[in-house]
Amino acid sequence: MKNQSTGNLRFAAITAALGAGLSSAALAGTPEPAPMMTPVAADDSVVSGNLSLDLNSHFISYGFDVWGGGDSFGGDSTFNPALELNFAFTENFTAILGTWWDVNDNAGSPIGGDLQEVDVWAGGSYAFGDLSVTALYQAWMYGGDTEHILDISLAYDCFLSPSVTFHNRLDAGAAAAGGSQDGTVIVPGIEYGFDLGPVSFAVPLNAGFFLDDGFHGFDALGNVTDSGFGYVSIGLNASYAIPCDERFGAWDIHGGVTYYNTQEDVINNPSDSFFTWNVGIGCSF
């Protein structure tokens, strides 16, 4: 599920995981003791989840245009279903399981058919008041190998919803064949949300800072890509809740557009700046 703002669901899934678990504590001054683990009442909903079925114009993995869509605005579009389950064991701790698939005919697949990639993740989120801390181990299975990831994310429930993710590649898997190396990317972000009638809007702003050379392999001249500032993205996303019987979950129609600006010495993309779009349906239960 590679970090996908509008064009990618991986970051969306992590951000959704950050929202799991919720209470309130101070960020400044002397840290307060961690809140006690409180068992969930028997009549509370322990299991919840999210299903999304999205069509994306691009597959963007931490600023990298995987299928080389460039500024074609959809020439290599891909279908990305995703499912995440949350298990609220206490008022503060939530366990997380999820999967994300990449389905398209852009290349031959060792998995079979048009299924290019299957990602799975597991971890948990703990709330310290309005601050939530999430850790997710991820296995990205593609190209006949598995890329291993550990993401540590922090999010604060306040105006602009600030968050930061430390994306740690532990094993490059099939990406190593293209020169990609292990390393860490730091992704800070904010998001502004508002409603216009029945439609909810969000404006996410994210940036990627690479701590290690060669994270995305080689540049156009065959040199190892640099570390440092790699990309910035800003999007406009919209969601409309579909009126339906709540016994079948809360369904929505969503979509959006995201603009990326990437640095060619850090990320070798067909175009340094480009737009992506996505559209899909979702269900929360």
Side-chain angles (χ1 to χ4, degrees), residues 108-192:
S109 169
I111 300 175
D114 290 339
L115 182 57
Q116 304 289 346
E117 180 172 345
V118 174
D119 299 347
V120 294
W121 62 91
S125 181
Y126 195 86
F128 300 87
D130 289 335
L131 173 68
S132 59
V133 180
T134 301
L136 293 177
Y137 165 76
Q138 305 173 52
W140 302 357
M141 293 168 281
Y142 63 94
D145 206 341
T146 301
E147 184 173 343
H148 297 274
I149 303 293
L150 176 63
D151 281 356
I152 308 294
S153 304
L154 296 87
Y156 195 65
D157 185 15
C158 65
F159 178 64
L160 292 183
S161 303
S163 66
V164 60
T165 295
F166 298 87
H167 174 74
N168 304 286
R169 178 190 280 157
L170 308 178
D171 184 340
S180 294
Q181 302 178 23
D182 300 347
T184 298
V185 186
I186 300 177
V187 184
I190 56 175
E191 181 174 291
Y192 176 67

Side-chain angles (χ1 to χ4, degrees), residues 25-233:
L27 281 179
T30 305
E32 296 183 358
M36 295 184 62
M37 304 277 275
T38 306
V40 177
D43 58 351
D44 285 352
S45 178
V46 175
V47 182
S48 60
N50 295 279
L51 170 70
S52 61
L53 304 170
D54 280 31
L55 181 67
N56 292 284
S57 65
H58 293 65
F59 180 172
I60 309 302
S61 179
Y62 292 85
F64 179 57
D65 186 354
V66 173
W67 294 117
D71 54 12
S72 66
F73 207 56
D76 297 289
S77 57
T78 178
F79 175 58
N80 302 120
L83 174 66
E84 184 172 272
L85 298 175
N86 300 305
F87 304 87
F89 288 116
T90 75
E91 290 182 357
N92 303 104
F93 176 72
T94 300
I96 301 164
L97 294 174
T99 185
W100 177 93
W101 296 5
D102 182 30
V103 184
N104 60 70
D105 60 359
N106 294 329
S109 169
I111 300 175
D114 290 339
L115 182 57
Q116 304 289 346
E117 180 172 345
V118 174
D119 299 347
V120 294
W121 62 91
S125 181
Y126 195 86
F128 300 87
D130 289 335
L131 173 68
S132 59
V133 180
T134 301
L136 293 177
Y137 165 76
Q138 305 173 52
W140 302 357
M141 293 168 281
Y142 63 94
D145 206 341
T146 301
E147 184 173 343
H148 297 274
I149 303 293
L150 176 63
D151 281 356
I152 308 294
S153 304
L154 296 87
Y156 195 65
D157 185 15
C158 65
F159 178 64
L160 292 183
S161 303
S163 66
V164 60
T165 295
F166 298 87
H167 174 74
N168 304 286
R169 178 190 280 157
L170 308 178
D171 184 340
S180 294
Q181 302 178 23
D182 300 347
T184 298
V185 186
I186 300 177
V187 184
I190 56 175
E191 181 174 291
Y192 176 67
F194 61 96
D195 294 333
L196 288 179
V199 182
S200 297
F201 290 89
V203 182
L205 174 65
N206 298 289
F209 298 88
F210 294 73
L211 301 189
D212 305 275
D213 293 345
F215 188 91
H216 280 317
F218 302 105
D219 63 17
L221 299 177
N223 301 314
V224 173
T225 54
D226 291 339
S227 56
F229 170 68
Y231 71 91
V232 64
S233 67

